[in-house]
C-alpha cells in the first residue's frame, strides 16, 4: 500500500472534516479491526488496500489519501500492462462511506469500503468506472427528471473442489453435488449476502447442472452495482469455505445454456407520474437509445471472446438480433413494463460499473435526441423469421458475435464514446483487447482452466 503526504492527494479542510465524520460513523457502526479500501479497474478484479484501523485512523487525521499506480487502468488479469504504458503516475482513492459493509467472514472485524478515483486535488477522474456511473445517473436526473433503478440477477455454477475420474463431467471441470444436496450451502450463501447488506429477493436452481440464480433487490445504480459486487464476494467466500468453487464462466459447457448477469433497468419520473403518456415516451426514448447503441455497449458488457458463446438462439440468452419483446426471453431486451426492461446481453465477466455506465450512456443519448421506439414488439426468436419479417418489425442489425466486432462497433460509435468519455473508452479498449489476445494465445485447456479459476 502507498499513502501520500499533504503535497499529493491531501484532503482540504472542509473535505477532510466531512471525511472524518464519514469515517467516525463507519467506526461506530462496525467497530472494525481492519479497513479494506476497495476499487475495481477495467479488468473487473475486485482489488484492495488493507490497513489496520489504527493506521487508517491516523491517515485520516493527517488528511491523506491512499495512492495507487495509474498503470492499474491498463493491467490485464494476467498482470500485463496494455498499450505499453510507462510505469509513472498515480491515482488516489476516495472512500465512499455509504458503501461500507462488514466482510462476509463474520469471525473477523473487517470493514470493506468502495472508492472512486480522484487526482491529487481530489477531483474525480474521467477514467474512473464508479465515478462515470455516478455522472451518468446525475445527468439523467438533472437534465431529464428521470430516476434510474437497477436490479441484478446472479447466475453461478458451483463446481467440485477438483476434477475427479468419476461423476458427471462437462468440458474440463467436475460438477459439485446436484441441487438438493447443495441447498444447505445455498442458504448459507444467502445468509452471508444478508450479512454483507445485500437484499436477496429470491433464489432458485437454474437450467444447467449445479447452476443457481440469486435475484437481488433493485436500487439506485451505484448502490445496485455495489450490492452486486458484495453479493458475489459473499458467494465466492462462502462456497470456498465449504470446499466448493463458484464460477461465473459464461459458457462452461457448450451443452448447457450458460451463465449471465442480467440487468433490470427502470426509468421512472422524479416525483411520480409513472404511466403518463409523457413518461412512457421518455422511457421509450431511453430504451430506444440502448437498442441503437447495443452493439457498441456489448464491448463493455461482453468483454471476452468466450462471452459471445452466449450469442446463440434457443438458449434464452437474448438471441442473435438487436430487438425487444414483451416477456420474450429470446431477445436482448425483454420488456416487463412500460418503463422496465431486462437487458440480457450482460456477462458476469464484465466490470459491472462500466457495463451499467455504457447502457446508461446509450439511454442518455436516446433521451437527448428524443428517439422513438420504432422497432416493433418481437414475440418469437428473431432468428426464426425471414429477412422480410424482420424488416417489417424494424429489426435490422445482428448482435456482435465476437469481441472484435463489438470493439469495432464501439470504435465507430462516436456519440456513445463522447458521452462515456474518450479517455476511458481508449484505455478500456486497449486493456480489453490485450487481455483477450493473451487468452486466445492459450491452448483450449489452459484457457478453460484460467477462466474457471479467475471468473
Amino acid at each position: 500500500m502507498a499513502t501520500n503526504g499533504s503535497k499529493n492527494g491531501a484532503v482540504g479542510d472542509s473535505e477532510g472534516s466531512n471525511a472524518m465524520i464519514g469515517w467516525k460513523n463507519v467506526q461506530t457502526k462496525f467497530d472494525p479491526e481492519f479497513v479494506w479500501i476497495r476499487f475495481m479497474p477495467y479488468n473487473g478484479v475486485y482489488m484492495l488496500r488493507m490497513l489496520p484501523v489504527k493506521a487508517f485512523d491516523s491517515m485520516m487525521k493527517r488528511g491523506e489519501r491512499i495512492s495507487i499506480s495509474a498503470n492499474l487502468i491498463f493491467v490485464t488479469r494476467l498482470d500485463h500492462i496494455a498499450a505499453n504504458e510507462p510505469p509513472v503516475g498515480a491515482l488516489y482513492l476516495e472512500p465512499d462511506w455509504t458503501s461500507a459493509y462488514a466482510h462476509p467472514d463474520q469471525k473477523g472485524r473487517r470493514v470493506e469500503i468502495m472508492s472512486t478515483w480522484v487526482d491529487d486535488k481530489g477531483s474525480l477522474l474521467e477514467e474512473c468506472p464508479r465515478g462515470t456511473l455516478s455522472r451518468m445517473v446525475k445527468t439523467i436526473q438533472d437534465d431529464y427528471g428521470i430516476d434510474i433503478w437497477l436490479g441484478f440477477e446472479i447466475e453461478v455454477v458451483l463446481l467440485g473442489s477438483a476434477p475427479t475420474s468419476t461423476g458427471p463431467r462437462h468440458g474440463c471441470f467436475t460438477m459439485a453435488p446436484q441441487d438438493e444436496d447443495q441447498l444447505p450451502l445455498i442458504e448459507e450463501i444467502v445468509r452471508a449476502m444478508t450479512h454483507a447488506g445485500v437484499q436477496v429477493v429470491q433464489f432458485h436452481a437454474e437450467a444447467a447442472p449445479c447452476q443457481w440464480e440469486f435475484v437481488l433487490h433493485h436500487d439506485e445504480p451505484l448502490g445496485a452495482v455495489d450490492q452486486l459486487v458484495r453479493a458475489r464476494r459473499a458467494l465466492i467466500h462462502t462456497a470456498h469455505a465449504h470446499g466448493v468453487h463458484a464460477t461465473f464462466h459464461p459458457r462452461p459447457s457448450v451443452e448447457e445454456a450458460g451463465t449471465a448477469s442480467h440487468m433490470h433497468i427502470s426509468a421512472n419520473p422524479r416525483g411520480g407520474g409513472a404511466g403518463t403518456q409523457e413518461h412512457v415516451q421518455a422511457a421509450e426514448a431511453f430504451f430506444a437509445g440502448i437498442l441503437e447503441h447495443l452493439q457498441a455497449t456489448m464491448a463493455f458488457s461482453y468483454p471476452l471472446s468466450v462471452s459471445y458463446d452466449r450469442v446463440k438462439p434457443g438458449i434464452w440468452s437474448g438471441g442473435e438480433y438487436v430487438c425487444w419483446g414483451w416477456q420474450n426471453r429470446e431477445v436482448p431486451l425483454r420488456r416487463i413494463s412500460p418503463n422496465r426492461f431486462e437487458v440480457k446481453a450482460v456477462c458476469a465477466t464484465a466490470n459491472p460499473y462500466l457495463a451499467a455506465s455504457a447502457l446508461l450512456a446509450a439511454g442518455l443519448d436516446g433521451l437527448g435526441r428524443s428517439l422513438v421506439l420504432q422497432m416493433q414488439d418481437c414475440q418469437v426468436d428473431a432468428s426464426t423469421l425471414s429477412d422480410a419479417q424482420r424488416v417489417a418489425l424494424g429489426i435490422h442489425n445482428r448482435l456482435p458475435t465476437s469481441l472484435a466486432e463489438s470493439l469495432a462497433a464501439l470504435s465507430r460509435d462516436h456519440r456513445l464514446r463522447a458521452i462515456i468519455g474518450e479517455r476511458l473508452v481508449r484505455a478500456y479498449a486497449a486493456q480489453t483487447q490485450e487481455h483477450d489476445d493473451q487468452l486466445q494465445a492459450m491452448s483450449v485447456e489452459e484457457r478453460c482452466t484460467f477462466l474457471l479459476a479467475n471468473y
Side-chain angles (χ1 to χ4, degrees):
M1 184 205 76
T3 58
N4 46 278
S6 59
K7 294 183 179 180
N8 291 309
V11 178
D13 291 341
S14 175
E15 192 178 354
S17 176
N18 290 335
M20 281 303 300
I21 292 173
W23 164 232
K24 291 303 180 184
N25 289 338
V26 168
Q27 280 187 296
T28 300
K29 181 175 181 179
F30 296 103
D31 186 26
E33 183 181 7
F34 300 102
V35 179
W36 292 11
I37 303 298
R38 289 284 190 176
F39 59 99
M40 184 177 288
Y42 299 163
N43 60 23
V45 174
Y46 197 37
M47 304 187 78
L48 75 158
R49 295 292 185 266
M50 299 177 287
L51 299 85
V53 69
K54 184 176 180 180
F56 186 74
D57 188 63
S58 296
M59 189 184 73
M60 293 299 300
K61 289 176 180 176
R62 294 194 301 270
E64 297 178 358
R65 291 187 180 91
I66 298 172
S67 66
I68 61 174
S69 171
N71 283 74
L72 283 172
I73 292 176
F74 295 93
V75 170
T76 72
R77 289 204 184 196
L78 288 161
D79 296 324
H80 186 271
I81 299 175
N84 296 316
E85 288 293 310
V88 297
L91 308 174
Y92 301 91
L93 302 181
E94 183 75 34
D96 179 352
W97 308 111
T98 65
S99 72
Y101 71 100
H103 188 272
D105 182 359
Q106 299 182 39
K107 297 178 182 178
R109 295 191 355 258
R110 294 172 289 186
V111 62
E112 300 194 18
I113 306 170
M114 289 302 298
S115 64
T116 52
W117 302 346
V118 298
D119 63 16
D120 58 357
K121 296 180 176 60
S123 298
L124 181 67
L125 291 177
E126 178 184 319
E127 296 91 342
C128 178
R130 204 166 177 275
T132 298
L133 180 57
S134 293
R135 176 168 57 85
M136 298 300 162
V137 172
K138 188 175 189 306
T139 302
I140 294 170
Q141 288 177 336
D142 292 350
D143 293 357
Y144 300 99
I146 290 177
D147 284 329
I148 301 296
W149 295 87
L150 302 184
F152 289 93
E153 300 171 3
I154 297 178
E155 293 181 351
V156 64
V157 173
L158 301 178
L159 309 181
S161 57
T164 64
S165 59
T166 60
R169 294 183 64 84
H170 292 257
C172 58
F173 62 87
T174 302
M175 305 304 298
Q178 183 55 292
D179 300 346
E180 289 190 10
D181 294 336
Q182 291 183 348
L183 276 174
L185 170 59
I186 298 303
E187 292 177 345
E188 187 63 28
I189 288 171
V190 174
R191 293 188 192 100
M193 289 182 179
T194 303
H195 177 74
V198 176
Q199 187 174 349
V200 180
V201 176
Q202 59 177 291
F203 53 100
H204 55 85
E206 259 293 354
C210 300
Q211 185 183 52
W212 292 84
E213 179 174 295
F214 302 84
V215 180
L216 308 185
H217 195 269
H218 65 270
D219 200 347
E220 54 81 23
L222 198 60
V225 179
D226 285 347
Q227 184 176 217
L228 172 67
V229 172
R230 293 199 302 270
R232 288 177 180 167
R233 286 275 300 154
L235 192 162
I236 293 169
H237 179 86
T238 307
H240 179 75
H242 286 75
V244 173
H245 181 70
T247 181
F248 304 105
H249 188 306
R251 199 86 191 274
S253 169
V254 296
E255 301 170 1
E256 308 297 344
T259 299
S261 184
H262 299 159
M263 183 190 305
H264 291 249
I265 306 180
S266 296
N268 307 291
R270 306 204 85 183
T276 65
Q277 184 61 31
E278 181 180 4
H279 169 250
V280 171
Q281 289 175 347
E284 290 194 345
F286 179 86
F287 291 108
I290 291 179
L291 285 165
E292 179 167 309
H293 297 286
L294 190 60
Q295 293 170 307
T297 65
M298 283 178 63
F300 294 96
S301 63
Y302 274 29
L304 302 175
S305 287
V306 69
S307 304
Y308 296 83
D309 288 346
R310 294 185 61 253
V311 184
K312 310 283 185 187
I315 57 173
W316 287 19
S317 61
E320 299 177 297
Y321 288 86
V322 177
C323 56
W324 70 273
W326 281 98
Q327 297 296 0
N328 184 354
R329 288 172 169 78
E330 279 290 359
V331 294
L333 265 69
R334 175 173 73 102
R335 193 168 193 173
I336 300 169
S337 72
N339 66 321
R340 176 184 169 193
F341 282 74
E342 176 192 24
V343 183
K344 301 182 76 67
V346 183
C347 182
T349 62
N351 179 316
Y353 298 99
L354 289 177
S357 294
L359 289 164
L360 265 58
L364 180 57
D365 185 51
L367 287 168
R369 295 159 59 201
S370 299
L371 294 182
V372 176
L373 192 61
Q374 295 178 331
M375 189 182 298
Q376 301 301 303
D377 174 16
C378 179
Q379 282 298 297
V380 296
D381 181 344
S383 65
T384 65
L385 300 174
S386 67
D387 290 343
Q389 288 172 319
R390 283 192 289 268
V391 169
L393 290 175
I395 301 172
H396 302 290
N397 298 313
R398 284 181 174 269
L399 295 174
T401 58
S402 68
L403 179 62
E405 289 183 16
S406 65
L407 284 173
L410 178 62
S411 178
R412 296 189 301 268
D413 197 331
H414 299 294
R415 286 184 180 275
L416 187 71
R417 293 173 66 98
I419 295 172
I420 296 173
E422 284 288 349
R423 286 191 296 179
L424 188 157
V425 171
R426 285 197 298 269
Y428 173 80
Q431 183 277 142
T432 300
Q433 184 66 71
E434 180 81 16
H435 181 55
D436 198 65
D437 288 346
Q438 290 176 294
L439 291 178
Q440 296 312 303
M442 297 178 179
S443 68
V444 173
E445 184 174 346
E446 287 175 332
R447 185 163 58 249
C448 180
T449 299
F450 178 86
L451 292 171
L452 289 173
N454 288 274
Y455 293 96

